[in-house]
Amino acid sequence: MRFRAVLGAAMLALAGPPTFAPSLAAGPGNPIVAARQASMKEMAAAAKTIAEMFDGRRAYEPAAFKAAAKTLSARTGPALIAEFPAGSLGAPSAARPEIDQARPEFEALARHVGQLADALAAKADQAPTAITGDMRMGAMLPMDGGSLLGKRPGAAETDPAKLPAEHLLHLILQDCSSCHSKFRQKTE
Ligand code: HEC
């Protein structure tokens, strides 16, 4: 993972100087940018590991589930917020400069995904030796379209601790996408 992160940073540096006025702090090789991109990649790998175990594409192992959930919980919430200081935003980083003008929203998203990841990590700590039905998407939810996925913002949230692990993972991935669609930009 570390090797890949270094490689990723190196490739970014190889991409050459941006064509528009860069913020110096966000220049290629900036350690803050490299560290958060590596952190994001580790979250992506962790989420993929868990998704594949639930999909049956990867053997389920409680220890691997636990480690991956811990990675998600350690890298979201306050840790994620701390990775985006003012002056580190904008090209050539893929972090939109608008993050600075929308701090409350950005931080609320980071904290929300953090709460879900904490709940998932707490469940993974108690993970049984095989995937049980109550860990599955849809367990303990009404069958008649009572899914939380389409919920209106502001509606009362179900306590994440009460949700099945697979459902928590889906909600986490939704938060990843929500933040990316709003606060991540293409760099090339
Ligand atoms: C609160 C906002 C936010 C959340 C939540 C978030 N991300 Fe990101 N993510 C970003 C931003 C902004 C960038 C661009 C960072 C940069 O280039 O400096 C990014 C970049 C990435 C990248 C590309 C890293 C690279 O190599 O350039 C990956 C992969 C990624 N995120 C995965 C995830 C996953 C998986 C989750 C959920 C578990 C997640 N992110 C949650 C904001 C977020």
Side-chain angles (χ1 to χ4, degrees), residues 74-171:
R75 297 185 180 283
T76 50
L80 196 161
I81 292 169
E83 285 177 327
F84 290 87
S88 73
L89 311 172
S93 147
R96 283 190 187 277
E98 287 79 5
I99 290 171
D100 244 354
Q101 286 91 60
R103 285 282 168 191
E105 189 184 352
F106 184 83
E107 294 182 4
L109 261 166
R111 272 194 295 272
H112 188 259
V113 71
Q115 283 159 7
L116 295 170
D118 289 351
L120 183 65
K123 281 182 192 279
D125 267 340
Q126 314 287 325
T129 51
I131 294 182
T132 50
D134 64 353
M135 293 164 75
R136 291 279 177 198
M137 192 82 188
M140 302 182 293
L141 286 172
M143 302 300 286
D144 56 350
S147 163
L148 299 173
L149 295 178
K151 249 170 27 115
R152 279 171 294 114
E157 291 262 349
T158 303
D159 177 2
K162 298 207 170 96
L163 295 171
E166 191 181 13
H167 195 144
L168 283 170
L169 179 69
H170 282 248
L171 294 175

Side-chain angles (χ1 to χ4, degrees), residues 62-74:
F65 174 33
K66 200 165 152 174
K70 200 168 262 169
T71 294
L72 290 174
S73 126

Side-chain angles (χ1 to χ4, degrees), residues 8 12 32-34 36-45 47 72 76 80 84 88-90 92-96 99 105-111 113 172-173 175-180 183-185 187:
L12 253 179
I32 295 172
V33 174
R36 75 173 166 233
Q37 289 177 340
S39 179
M40 289 280 172
K41 280 205 192 77
E42 285 187 35
M43 284 205 291
L72 290 174
T76 50
L80 196 161
F84 290 87
S88 73
L89 311 172
S93 147
R96 283 190 187 277
I99 290 171
E105 189 184 352
F106 184 83
E107 294 182 4
L109 261 166
R111 272 194 295 272
V113 71
I172 287 169
L173 292 173
D175 277 354
C176 310
S177 306
S178 301
C179 190
H180 292 160
F183 294 115
R184 185 162 67 151
Q185 62 191 3
T187 43

